[in-house]
Amino acid sequence: MKPHHLSLALFAALLRLCESYTLRNSVSWAVASNDVVVEGELDAVSEEEVAPALLVDNSGLWKQAYPPSVLRNGAEKPKETVKSKTEDAAPVSSASRVFSYRMEEVKAPASAPSPPPHQETARTARYMAHYSDWGHLATISTQDKIKGLPFGNIFSISDGPMDNSTGVVYFYVTLMDNSVADLRSFPFASLTFSEAEGDFCRQQVYDPEDPRCARLTLTGKMVEVGPEEVEFAQEAMFSRHPVMKKWPVGHNWFFMKLELKQVWLQDWVGGVSLIPLEDYFKATPY
């Protein structure tokens, strides 16, 4: 075979391989055949109505999805089926279809400014509490097998909108969460942040356990937010985590906050700082 003929053959083979691959900019998952949203009906159903149902019903999640070319015609079957690594794997039902849910269009928040000088401990603590989107909450467990032992969990948090830091950390929670059930029995907890969440430690090549990569632990009592504060708590959480507005109402979400008893900080070598609450609330993260 002549060299140029060989090149053309290889190029054609590559094109055939590429038919099965596609790049997507949306979040897609498969739903069971009895849960399919018929094409054309999506306009009549708002995203707010669709999302909660999908969050609750996991029956159709993580099934193999066909590429978009297959879905142009609901009756069309894929031309080629990718063989499983295990020959006895059950084939995917052709009744499954892909449901795509457009990602929330939210303006990316401005990147956090550089951390304060490590000598400014109160300001560093406020900086970490404000610019962290999540933290690790430790409670005393009520689960049968680990009753009375520490139990850690990840929570999305906010101490206020990006332009209004309060130092008070808010949560949006449900009693279906083990940690929240723990708090009903013993309401005290510790919330830990790491500067490794952002870019600073990576840029400085600091290991997360390096004392120069700051760690902050806020300890106190978790309480339900009162009616006079709910509006602000909602603004604080939803402005930072807008997807929460679409979480299923059947989970009976409510707002909690951490009433501080101690602020513990390690942000440099040579020991830790116990920051007086008065200094913590006087400081600013900006």
Side-chain angles (χ1 to χ4, degrees):
M1 182 180 291
K2 294 182 179 180
H4 66 279
H5 289 165
L6 179 60
S7 299
L8 289 173
L10 289 173
F11 181 72
L14 286 173
L15 286 178
R16 285 196 298 272
L17 287 173
C18 292
E19 285 180 1
S20 300
Y21 296 88
T22 181
L23 294 178
R24 302 182 182 181
N25 59 0
S26 62
V27 178
S28 301
W29 57 87
V31 295
S33 58
N34 59 342
D35 292 332
V36 168
V37 179
V38 179
E39 190 172 353
E41 291 183 358
L42 289 179
D43 294 337
V45 182
S46 69
E47 292 176 358
E48 288 76 10
E49 293 170 335
V50 172
L54 291 174
L55 287 169
V56 174
D57 181 11
N58 295 326
S59 61
L61 293 181
W62 312 124
K63 291 183 179 180
Q64 179 177 341
Y66 296 140
S69 59
V70 177
L71 301 178
R72 290 182 189 134
N73 184 344
E76 185 180 351
K77 295 183 179 180
K79 296 179 180 178
E80 297 182 8
T81 303
V82 179
K83 293 183 179 179
S84 172
K85 292 182 180 179
T86 56
E87 294 181 357
D88 57 346
V92 177
S93 170
S94 61
S96 296
R97 293 181 59 195
V98 169
F99 177 86
S100 295
Y101 178 63
R102 189 174 69 254
M103 295 181 68
E104 181 83 14
E105 295 180 2
V106 181
K107 292 183 179 179
S111 57
S114 299
H118 69 86
Q119 300 91 338
E120 300 182 27
T121 54
R123 186 177 167 211
T124 298
R126 285 292 302 274
Y127 170 90
M128 294 183 67
H130 182 58
Y131 288 107
S132 296
D133 287 327
W134 57 271
H136 177 274
L137 190 74
T139 58
I140 300 301
S141 179
T142 55
Q143 300 176 55
D144 290 339
K145 291 187 177 181
I146 57 171
K147 192 170 184 178
L149 300 180
F151 175 72
N153 204 350
I154 298 297
F155 281 87
S156 298
I157 58 91
S158 172
D159 83 328
M162 290 303 293
D163 60 350
N164 186 10
S165 169
T166 66
V168 177
V169 180
Y170 294 93
F171 302 75
Y172 191 48
V173 299
T174 170
L175 278 174
M176 298 173 71
D177 191 296
N178 285 125
S179 298
V180 182
D182 295 344
L183 294 170
R184 287 297 173 99
S185 176
F186 186 76
F188 294 92
S190 288
L191 177 66
T192 299
F193 304 100
S194 171
E195 209 167 29
E197 178 185 336
D199 297 326
F200 175 75
C201 295
R202 285 193 294 270
Q203 292 170 350
Q204 301 298 320
V205 199
Y206 291 158
D207 186 87
E209 201 171 338
D210 189 312
R212 296 169 295 178
C213 186
R215 284 170 277 170
L216 172 69
T217 297
L218 305 177
T219 302
K221 184 178 182 180
M222 290 283 288
V223 299
E224 188 170 348
V225 172
E228 72 285 351
E229 201 176 351
V230 165
E231 186 176 350
F232 180 80
Q234 178 174 302
E235 181 187 5
M237 291 303 298
F238 291 179
S239 65
R240 303 280 291 271
H241 307 280
V243 71
M244 288 179 169
K245 292 181 289 186
K246 297 182 179 180
W247 286 359
V249 295
H251 285 21
N252 297 317
W253 301 92
F254 61 99
F255 296 97
M256 297 190 78
K257 67 178 181 179
L258 182 62
E259 291 185 344
L260 291 180
K261 301 294 182 182
Q262 177 179 281
V263 178
W264 180 99
L265 176 73
Q266 179 162 22
D267 68 339
W268 202 250
V269 295
V272 300
S273 302
L274 295 178
I275 303 169
L277 298 184
E278 183 179 1
D279 295 345
Y280 171 81
F281 284 111
K282 280 183 179 179
T284 173
Y286 306 114

